[in-house]
Amino acid sequence: MTHIVVDPVTRIEGHLRIEAEVENGSVTNAWSSSTMFRGIELILEGRDPRDAWAFTQRICGVCTTVHAIASIRAVENAIGAVPPPNARVLRNLIIAAQCVQDHVVHFYHLHALDWVDVVSALSADPAETASLAQSISDWHNSSASYFTAVKARLKGFVDRGQLGPFANAYWGHSAYKLPPAANLMAVAHYLEALDWQREFIKLHAILGGKNPHLQSFLVGGMATPVDPSSQSALNIHTIAALKSLIASAKDFVRRVYIPDLLAVASFYKDWAGYGAGVGNYLVYGEYPLTDGKDAPLYLPSGVIRDRNLGKIEKLDTSKITEQVKHSWYTYGKGDDEALHPSLGETKPSYTGPTPPYERLDTSAKYSWLKSPRYDGQPMEVGPLARMLVAYGSGHAQVKALVDGALGKLGVGPEALFSTLGRVAARGLETALLADKMGDWVDELAENMGRGELRIHDNEKWDPSTWPEQAIGAGFHEAPRGALGHWVSIWRGKIARYQCIVPSTWNAGPRDAKEAPGPYESALLGTPVADPEQPIEILRTVHSFDPCMACGVHVVDRAGAELAKVKVR
Amino acid sequence: MSDAARIPLLVLGLGNVLCGDDGAGVMAIHRLRRGWEMPAGVRIVDGGTLGLDLLALLAVSDRVIIVDAVRADAAPGTLVDVTGEEVAPAVYERLSPHQIGVADLIAGASLVDRYPSEVLIVGIVPAMTDLRLGCTPDVAANLDALVDRVVAELGARGYPPVRRSVPCGPSDDGARALGL
């Protein structure tokens, strides 16, 4: 048996460590550990709940909008504020834009390098690449001369030693299956996606102001004025600009991302047999279609257990708890307790080894993440969970997209429960949202047309209108999955704040019953051809799109070499 | 991109304001904005820990001064700088606490042939990057010196800022950084 340590897992935000045991070329046991503490909750106590979003927005650079959304929803829920229709539509647009952009960046810039061998692209024949590209899409950049230029550019980087994000990978590994032409096509689209994302992000500037951190959130609504006749508000011109950005997103996703996804997947169909994980899925749901409580959601909430797509359970958020038996925290009433987040505690208690260390004692506490559970069971969250719950709920557009992709790959729905299923679900969700965003822009335009310009519910703004004690929860489907914020307010100030972020659901450690979390479970059975180069482990972990920055804090790795800098 | 949308000189503050000295660069650019009026052609941006999302800005900037916490073998609060060919390897080797984002940003600009003609990192050595709103005393004591360094670099490039007679915005660095 070989013991493998992957630390840090690369190409993610934050710090994640995976330990695995490999026997006869496949993983027999795995542990996921987040080795850095954050504890954002502690900084919020005693503050004005209306400001909380500005703090939570800074938890992580990858997920700024998502923590702002969850926070304002939690506070609105506590104090009873109801955002008007324009605020709902603007939020839907911001949330969907974040998701579309994030998924494209994840696929091309974080995950693709697990499947695409960049060095092999250097030996590709541009003419062959052109015929491959033309056979899967009518995208304009597909001529032999175009791919010749991309190849020359890539060669320039390699020759100058400027590999940047392409450094430190397992190039030439036997697990890479794409022919050189497919590798070159993927590298070309990696570069195009970089250009595309910096255009698309302008959508956030339109909706949230020039500052890269959106300043337009407000408890009770939004701060972005809507007025067709004002230069400084969302007006007829911004509607046109939004439409054009969404059209370009739709085009890129339909003609580049999805064809690439299917082309890559067709070479890696064996990965539909690995990485299934816990088989339980949880979705809070997202994109309210009407206003007020219990509004229907474009992506429905629900819970799936044991991969049973035939039975979508109604979500009951009172069944959510967090455990700390294997986490570096203590609970007042003992570490075998399971606490609902509204009563959650964040008391750090590090009992792990002093870094640098070779192994964690996984029989004791071994992670800074807690173990969230639903009705006592581990749950996977994220795009796959969302697509499965929607599929099982009979969502027409999701069904059409999923069945279409399964048909093209010649596999059945059981293939969804896998590493490849997770990658595919992310792409299909991107296509779904890029299609849907236009409807919300139309709704905004219609509202403007009939003089509905409200963006904010002022009625509950003044804390004197709040009860002495108020408790609320805000739920949101972030790109990476179900995000919940729980807030308790006492005499106008935050008394308690708890977040359960998607990567805590997915990357959390074993619970009090020793049941493994989704990463730990998904790694079982993963093949590992070379324990020195465990690219297969990265494939499954990256398929969840880890973002550890919210659960944890990043500091220098002990012993990491400091680069040479000039000291003044 | 038309010339009108180009930024001749971008001052980009990076870091997490909730993580003690990690946010020193962001605190510094807000202090710069509060105390100094910028000449035309200079844009100050609080980039937080956005990483690759900032590519849109970097790609339209002719020159960039990044203000950031930079780890080095020197006492906390020491000012350091990184420039030229050292920038890419420096950020790649975990120089900054949020290095993954910055490394992607720098590499991305280069990959799409939009690397600015000059990138200078004006840094300050952090003492502590744990959860905390605001810098530690050693770093806080040198934040004004960091701001002065940025002012001097702007002046040296033909963009001298003018000191405001009355500072604008709240005096609390943290509140300013969060837009409160």
Side-chain angles (χ1 to χ4, degrees):
Chain A
M1 188 196 67
T2 317
H3 191 92
I4 299 182
V5 175
V6 186
D7 182 13
V9 173
T10 50
R11 292 202 302 276
I12 65 168
E13 184 87 11
H15 206 119
L16 174 71
R17 174 186 176 103
I18 298 288
E19 293 198 20
E21 284 171 358
V22 175
E23 227 171 324
N24 300 325
S26 96
V27 175
T28 52
N29 215 339
W31 296 269
S32 160
S33 169
S34 171
T35 48
M36 296 295 158
F37 167 66
R38 175 152 280 173
I40 174 71
E41 292 91 346
L42 303 176
I43 222 168
L44 288 168
E45 286 167 17
R47 297 193 187 271
D48 185 331
R50 294 168 301 178
D51 292 344
W53 69 268
F55 287 84
T56 59
Q57 177 168 238
R58 297 287 182 144
I59 293 176
C60 164
V62 178
C63 314
T64 51
T65 60
V66 311
H67 285 293
I69 294 270
S71 180
I72 50 178
R73 282 181 176 167
V75 176
E76 285 165 357
N77 179 246
I79 64 176
V82 182
N86 284 330
R88 167 179 54 81
V89 172
L90 287 170
R91 288 180 190 180
N92 281 355
L93 282 168
I94 287 172
I95 295 167
Q98 178 79 26
C99 206
V100 167
Q101 192 220 348
D102 238 58
H103 285 357
V104 170
V105 168
H106 178 264
F107 180 75
Y108 283 104
H109 305 123
L110 302 173
H111 202 20
L113 305 184
D114 296 335
W115 311 98
V116 173
D117 186 335
V118 172
V119 173
S120 145
L122 290 172
S123 61
D125 172 5
E128 203 183 311
T129 311
S131 50
L132 169 69
Q134 288 159 16
S135 74
I136 62 167
S137 171
D138 58 356
W139 185 243
H140 54 277
N141 283 334
S142 65
S143 66
S145 60
Y146 173 73
F147 288 113
T148 304
V150 170
K151 192 175 153 182
R153 209 158 132 202
L154 178 65
K155 190 162 183 305
F157 288 122
V158 174
D159 289 350
R160 288 196 299 276
Q162 291 178 329
L163 277 172
F166 302 149
N168 295 335
Y170 302 130
W171 308 133
H173 194 291
S174 64
Y176 283 115
K177 302 292 185 202
L178 298 183
N183 284 317
L184 180 59
M185 181 181 76
V187 169
H189 294 165
Y190 176 109
L191 299 173
E192 286 191 48
L194 274 179
D195 274 326
W196 171 81
Q197 73 93 19
R198 69 187 174 85
E199 279 302 304
F200 184 63
I201 206 165
K202 289 177 184 163
L203 200 137
H204 271 164
I206 293 172
L207 298 173
K210 247 184 163 186
N211 191 313
H213 295 94
L214 300 200
Q215 295 299 320
S216 55
F217 296 111
L218 199 57
V219 166
M222 293 295 285
T224 324
V226 172
D227 186 343
S229 55
S230 165
Q231 285 294 321
S232 56
L234 286 180
N235 54 34
I236 302 302
H237 301 290
T238 46
I239 292 285
L242 289 172
K243 283 198 161 171
S244 130
L245 285 167
I246 290 166
S248 91
K250 222 163 135 172
D251 202 35
F252 187 81
V253 172
R254 289 283 178 175
R255 295 166 70 206
V256 183
Y257 183 4
I258 298 296
D260 281 356
L261 171 69
L262 293 173
V264 171
S266 69
F267 287 95
Y268 288 105
K269 281 194 208 168
D270 48 335
W271 282 85
Y274 304 125
V278 294
N280 305 321
Y281 303 89
L282 177 142
V283 180
Y284 292 148
E286 192 51 272
Y287 309 107
L289 298 173
T290 61
D291 304 287
K293 246 184 134 194
D294 302 320
L297 302 170
Y298 185 59
L299 284 177
S301 73
V303 171
I304 293 171
R305 297 194 213 219
D306 296 328
R307 307 182 203 177
N308 184 357
L309 288 179
K311 188 181 166 201
I312 307 296
E313 275 178 51
K314 196 171 162 7
L315 173 78
D316 174 1
T317 57
S318 72
K319 291 182 178 171
I320 295 170
T321 58
E322 286 194 297
Q323 306 185 10
V324 295
K325 184 177 179 198
H326 287 289
S327 317
W328 287 310
Y329 300 92
T330 49
Y331 278 169
K333 286 186 178 168
D335 293 353
D336 280 343
E337 285 286 300
L339 296 182
H340 186 267
S342 66
L343 302 168
E345 298 173 14
T346 305
K347 287 193 195 98
S349 155
Y350 186 70
T351 54
T354 309
Y357 50 82
E358 297 220 331
R359 284 191 45 179
L360 287 165
D361 176 5
T362 49
S363 69
K365 292 176 182 286
Y366 65 89
S367 180
W368 278 116
L369 297 182
K370 297 176 182 174
S371 313
R373 293 293 181 263
Y374 180 80
D375 201 16
Q377 289 185 307
M379 293 278 150
E380 174 174 342
V381 300
L384 176 59
R386 288 193 287 262
M387 292 300 98
L388 290 175
V389 166
Y391 189 85
S393 306
H395 191 294
Q397 293 90 334
V398 170
K399 244 181 134 358
L401 275 168
V402 170
D403 287 337
L406 293 174
K408 277 191 183 137
L409 291 171
V411 294
E414 69 287 347
L416 293 166
F417 306 108
S418 67
T419 297
L420 193 62
R422 221 167 268 127
V423 179
R426 186 170 293 111
L428 299 177
E429 178 174 69
T430 312
L432 181 82
L433 293 175
D435 284 352
K436 183 67 187 171
M437 286 176 77
D439 290 356
W440 292 317
V441 177
D442 288 341
E443 200 177 335
L444 193 62
E446 280 163 28
N447 287 349
M448 277 187 200
R450 61 188 169 84
E452 166 59 272
L453 306 179
R454 290 176 303 147
I455 49 166
H456 187 236
D457 168 21
N458 288 318
E459 222 167 275
K460 303 281 183 185
W461 180 251
D462 186 343
S464 68
T465 63
W466 306 348
E468 186 171 52
Q469 181 174 24
I471 290 173
F475 299 105
H476 168 44
E477 284 296 330
R480 291 166 181 78
L483 171 66
H485 283 200
W486 285 261
V487 64
S488 305
I489 301 167
W490 174 251
R491 293 188 178 160
K493 300 284 180 207
I494 293 172
R496 189 197 295 265
Y497 205 99
Q498 290 285 314
C499 313
I500 302 184
V501 307
S503 292
T504 307
W505 280 104
N506 289 337
R510 283 158 170 72
D511 59 25
K513 286 189 271 181
E514 303 303 324
Y519 284 12
E520 299 180 326
S521 199
L523 285 169
L524 299 181
T526 293
V528 176
D530 176 2
E532 297 288 320
Q533 302 198 325
I535 186 175
E536 301 91 340
I537 288 180
L538 289 182
R539 282 181 180 166
T540 290
V541 171
H542 280 155
S543 74
F544 285 93
D545 192 2
C547 179
M548 311 309 293
C550 7
V552 300
H553 175 60
V554 187
V555 295
D556 227 353
R557 208 153 35 111
E561 220 177 294
L562 292 174
K564 288 188 195 88
V565 294
K566 270 190 250 157
V567 175
R568 286 192 166 244
Chain B
M1 183 61 64
S2 66
D3 283 349
R6 290 204 68 82
I7 302 169
L9 209 167
L10 173 70
V11 179
L12 183 62
L14 295 178
N16 192 329
V17 292
L18 301 182
C19 292
D21 297 332
D22 188 42
V26 171
M27 298 288 190
I29 63 110
H30 284 286
R31 198 176 278 200
L32 174 70
R33 199 183 260 159
R34 177 169 188 264
W36 298 81
E37 200 168 328
M38 291 300 130
V42 176
R43 176 136 175 236
I44 303 179
V45 171
D46 167 1
T49 57
L50 289 172
L52 197 56
D53 284 7
L54 297 168
L55 182 57
L57 271 172
L58 207 67
V60 295
S61 299
D62 296 330
R63 303 161 105 176
V64 180
I65 297 177
I66 292 175
V67 190
D68 198 359
V70 172
R71 287 202 175 90
D73 285 322
T78 307
L79 303 187
V80 300
D81 60 34
V82 183
T83 187
E85 302 203 330
E86 291 174 348
V87 170
V91 294
Y92 204 74
E93 291 181 32
R94 317 184 127 272
L95 250 180
S96 158
H98 42 85
Q99 44 74 36
I100 290 171
V102 181
D104 286 346
L105 175 65
I106 299 288
S110 191
L111 283 168
V112 296
D113 283 334
R114 300 273 177 173
Y115 199 76
S117 62
E118 183 195 9
V119 177
L120 168 71
I121 301 178
V122 177
I124 187 163
V125 177
M128 186 283 268
T129 55
D130 289 337
L131 185 75
R132 170 194 167 113
L133 182 63
C135 298
T136 59
D138 285 347
V139 172
N142 277 357
L143 269 188
D144 280 334
L146 182 61
V147 171
D148 290 345
R149 269 274 288 126
V150 178
V151 168
E153 295 293 349
L154 285 167
R157 284 161 183 75
Y159 295 95
V162 178
R163 192 185 286 275
R164 292 183 197 275
S165 48
V166 182
C168 74
S171 62
D172 176 64
D173 286 324
R176 268 205 315 275
L178 291 167
L180 297 174

